[in-house]
Amino acid sequence: MRSMLVGAGLLVLSSFAASGADYRPLPYAAPSAPYASYFTWTGFYLGANGGYGWGDSRWDFPGGTTGDFKVSGGVLGVTAGYNYQIGPAVLGVEADANWTDIRGSSNANCGPTCFTNNTWLTTVRGRVGYAVDRLLPYVTGGAAIGNIKAHLGTLPEQSDGRVGWTVGAGAEFAFFRNWSAKVEYLYVNLDSFSCGAAACGVPAPTEVKFDAGVLRAGVNYHF
């Protein structure tokens, strides 16, 4: 009887040993990282902006010049654009239309005062940015179109629509759902136009030059 019990015990132990030899632990599966949902800049947007512009004008006329004199004033407008994000890179195009009152005057070599005034400004620009989630620093450049007015003393104004260029940089931050805020600087060069005797008071055309820097803040709604 004892020999039978010993034999049965040895049989059980040998079966456990055999099953243990065949055991292979399952591969360890590391816990998956939680999914992070990032903001995307891709899409259309509309917005508004406001700020301040300052720069230079100059009148060059036969026999003399005023030299550069200061112009400055407010800027207020609307913005529309589209972004396309590829990884952290953001490519876009943006256009804006602005009311401006960037003006100045000079008495240098100018009997009565010489006046220059920029009354509206539109830009159409490309943008290239690098997104850090909701922060988008960018550079921008393109065409600038504006209206320049000039007159001497109390003579009637002469206005001219000018096509020039602009370059700048800025940063935009998406702060709440579809809303973002931005700050940007643009340098705008509208070159010069010829002002006739009726407005500028000289027998030959006077070349009136205008360029300015514009610092502005804005808000955009992204669709």
Side-chain angles (χ1 to χ4, degrees), residues 47-88:
N49 69 82
Y52 192 76
W54 68 95
D56 298 296
S57 181
R58 186 180 68 244
W59 287 32
D60 295 321
F61 42 81
T65 179
T66 62
D68 288 345
F69 59 90
K70 299 301 179 184
V71 294
S72 61
V75 177
L76 184 65
V78 293
T79 305
Y82 180 80
N83 291 321
Y84 185 73
Q85 184 168 352
I86 308 171

Side-chain angles (χ1 to χ4, degrees), residues 17-196:
S19 63
D22 293 336
Y23 171 74
R24 297 290 185 272
L26 294 175
Y28 172 74
S32 59
Y35 174 73
S37 177
Y38 292 103
F39 180 83
T40 177
W41 290 92
T42 297
F44 291 95
Y45 60 91
L46 294 174
N49 69 82
Y52 192 76
W54 68 95
D56 298 296
S57 181
R58 186 180 68 244
W59 287 32
D60 295 321
F61 42 81
T65 179
T66 62
D68 288 345
F69 59 90
K70 299 301 179 184
V71 294
S72 61
V75 177
L76 184 65
V78 293
T79 305
Y82 180 80
N83 291 321
Y84 185 73
Q85 184 168 352
I86 308 171
V90 179
L91 309 177
V93 61
E94 183 174 279
D96 54 66
N98 307 273
W99 165 86
T100 61
D101 188 26
I102 305 174
R103 63 171 66 226
S105 62
S106 175
N107 297 110
N109 292 325
C110 216
T113 305
C114 296
F115 295 94
T116 303
N117 183 18
N118 168 228
T119 57
W120 59 262
L121 176 67
T122 294
T123 71
V124 180
R125 296 168 285 108
R127 296 203 316 173
V128 178
Y130 188 92
V132 184
D133 194 14
R134 290 179 173 268
L135 176 64
L136 178 66
Y138 61 87
V139 293
T140 183
I145 308 161
N147 178 257
I148 306 298
K149 293 184 176 182
H151 69 102
L152 178 68
T154 58
L155 293 178
E157 291 179 324
Q158 179 177 332
S159 66
D160 192 84
R162 303 300 304 160
V163 177
W165 54 274
T166 179
V167 293
E172 190 168 356
F173 182 73
F175 62 92
F176 179 71
R177 294 185 181 176
N178 295 43
W179 290 95
S180 67
K182 71 176 183 180
V183 177
E184 70 180 2
Y185 170 82
L186 297 177
Y187 170 74
V188 177
N189 190 310
L190 295 179
D191 199 11
S192 62
F193 80 98
S194 295
C195 183

Side-chain angles (χ1 to χ4, degrees), residues 9-20:
L10 291 173
L11 181 61
V12 171
L13 289 174
S14 63
S15 66
F16 275 115
S19 63

